[in-house]
């Protein structure tokens, strides 16, 4: 199975993963900018597919990170994934973006049995979820996702760029203080779940809080 994975919950990233490729990775790209998703995502995917010699008809399914994440960035990735799935006539699945970091933690050499994945939610808050690990299995989501203040999180090892921002408050792992959800790990997580016969989410975004942009109410006419 060949999957195109997309995530824009933090940075813009995309990857081609396959159960036939070495370590599952065919190609990938990601940016470091958290605010230019709409400008870089489509060209990045186009270049990645061309470099890999893959067309939309070669892809079996798409997977998109559904957050949590800021409204505008998250919407860019989901809208792109929905458009490509429609044009190519391929199934589209969703996966919580924090799962990507959890898998990266699970593949590290000193992964704890229980931990937090924490990303930046801005407004001095973080997005977070709690996971447990059992050898030979994918990370198991135990709680979350949530949005809140770092001081209110459980006292557990914390991984991700959000933990790095509040290293004085959280048990931030120093090797993961810059890690953001990446489509490469998102795709690998999805591939493993699908291969095991487990379902995924749909592409409904996990915003967790209202957008800053609100539709104005009807104006009252002056008498």
């Amino acid at each position: 199975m060949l999957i195109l994975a997309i995530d824009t919950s933090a940075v813009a990233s995309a990857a081609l993963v396959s159960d036939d490729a070495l370590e599952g990775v065919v190609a990938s790209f990601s940016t470091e900018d958290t605010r230019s998703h709409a400008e870089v995502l489509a060209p990045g995917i186009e270049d990645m597919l061309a470099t890999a010699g893959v067309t939309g008809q070669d892809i079996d399914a798409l997977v998109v990170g559904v957050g949590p994440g800021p409204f505008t960035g998250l919407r860019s990735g989901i809208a792109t994934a929905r458009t490509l799935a429609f044009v190519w006539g391929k199934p589209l699945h969703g996966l919580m973006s924090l799962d990507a970091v959890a898998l990266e933690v699970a593949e590290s050499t000193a992964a704890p049995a229980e931990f937090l994945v924490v990303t930046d939610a801005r407004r001095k808050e973080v997005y977070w979820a709690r996971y447990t690990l059992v050898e030979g299995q994918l990370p198991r989501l135990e709680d979350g996702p949530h949005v809140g203040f770092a001081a209110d999180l459980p006292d557990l090892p914390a991984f991700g760029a959000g933990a790095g921002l509040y290293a004085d408050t959280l048990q931030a792992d120093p090797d993961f203080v810059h890690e953001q959800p990446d489509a490469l790990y998102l795709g690998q997580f999805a591939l493993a779940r699908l291969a095991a016969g487990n379902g995924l989410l749909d592409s409904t975004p996990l915003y967790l809080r209202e957008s800053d942009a609100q539709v104005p109410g009807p104006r009252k006419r002056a008498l």
Side-chain angles (χ1 to χ4, degrees), residues 32 60 86 176:
E32 296 182 359
D60 297 301
F86 175 77
F176 282 78

Side-chain angles (χ1 to χ4, degrees), residues 7 9-11 67-70 97-102 116-122 124-129 145-148 150 153 158-166 170 176-182 208-209:
D7 190 273
S9 62
V11 300
S97 299
L98 302 181
D99 288 347
V101 179
L116 306 177
V117 172
V118 188
T119 60
D120 183 18
R122 302 173 188 172
K124 299 182 179 180
E125 292 182 320
V126 294
Y127 297 118
W128 67 276
H146 302 291
V147 60
L153 270 60
F159 298 79
L165 290 174
Y166 301 97
L170 302 173
F176 282 78
V177 293
H178 301 295
E179 293 304 309
Q180 305 277 22
D182 192 293
L208 300 191
R209 63 188 181 201

Side-chain angles (χ1 to χ4, degrees), residues 6 18 22 38 60 65 91 115 133 149 165 171-172 176:
I6 298 170
S18 171
L22 181 65
D60 297 301
F115 62 93
L133 287 180
F149 298 107
L165 290 174
Q171 297 182 39
F176 282 78

Side-chain angles (χ1 to χ4, degrees), residues 20-56:
D20 291 329
L22 181 65
E23 297 183 354
V25 182
V26 176
S28 66
F29 93 91
S30 65
T31 70
E32 296 182 359
D33 190 351
T34 60
R35 297 180 183 271
S36 63
H37 306 80
E39 292 84 358
V40 302
L41 184 60
I45 292 174
E46 184 177 20
D47 290 344
M48 181 182 68
L49 294 177
T51 300
V54 170
T55 71

Side-chain angles (χ1 to χ4, degrees), residues 51-92:
T51 300
V54 170
T55 71
Q57 295 310 307
D58 297 321
I59 292 169
D60 297 301
L62 292 87
V63 174
V64 64
V66 296
F71 182 84
T72 302
L74 195 57
R75 181 178 59 184
S76 297
I78 293 175
T80 299
R82 287 175 175 174
T83 300
L84 293 176
F86 175 77
V87 171
W88 295 337
K90 304 295 181 177
L92 172 63

